[in-house]
Amino acid sequence: MPRSVLADETEGYLLAHAHRDQAQREAEELCARMPWLTTGQAEEITVHYVHQRLDVTRRLMLGTVRRAEELRQEYESRYAELRSALLRRHAAAACAVLACAAGAGSLAAGVLTR
């Protein structure tokens, strides 16, 4: 596996665990503010909170990935348009230079043959 892929997967793994740990801490803080909960109730709320929080995080990240892909496609399309326009301009400029050179050559040949 290439280093960049391994690094990306490791980063993703660590990021996912950081999100899970943060959700776990938030759930525990929430349950601590409700001292009337039994241990079982607090554990159940914690599990549900963590799952819901991770689902929200997953949806947000997937939305970000989708938008990044849309932007990448838009930028690639625009880049292709600009590259094509630049190529056309360079071709037109090259044709103009060649036409001027041919005209100058003809003019020089006409002057020299007189």
Side-chain angles (χ1 to χ4, degrees), residues 22-44:
Q22 179 63 33
Q24 182 76 29
R25 283 190 299 276
E26 290 172 6
E28 290 169 358
E29 290 170 6
L30 174 66
C31 290
R33 291 191 304 256
M34 297 184 278
W36 61 87
L37 294 175
T38 66
T39 302
Q41 290 171 328
E43 288 172 358
E44 187 175 344

Side-chain angles (χ1 to χ4, degrees), residues 75-85:
Y75 289 141
E76 283 180 358
S77 175
R78 182 67 179 142
Y79 176 76
E81 290 172 14
L82 291 171
R83 188 178 62 211
S84 177

Side-chain angles (χ1 to χ4, degrees), residues 52-95:
Q52 184 167 352
R53 173 78 188 292
L54 292 178
D55 285 342
V56 168
T57 300
R58 186 176 299 110
R59 284 194 307 269
L60 288 172
M61 291 181 120
L62 289 173
T64 301
V65 167
R66 267 192 303 277
R67 182 63 182 142
E69 178 61 25
E70 290 171 2
L71 287 172
R72 185 183 66 76
Q73 289 175 356
E74 288 176 22
Y75 289 141
E76 283 180 358
S77 175
R78 182 67 179 142
Y79 176 76
E81 290 172 14
L82 291 171
R83 188 178 62 211
S84 177
L86 184 62
L87 180 61
R88 283 192 307 274
R89 288 181 186 138
H90 277 85
C95 288

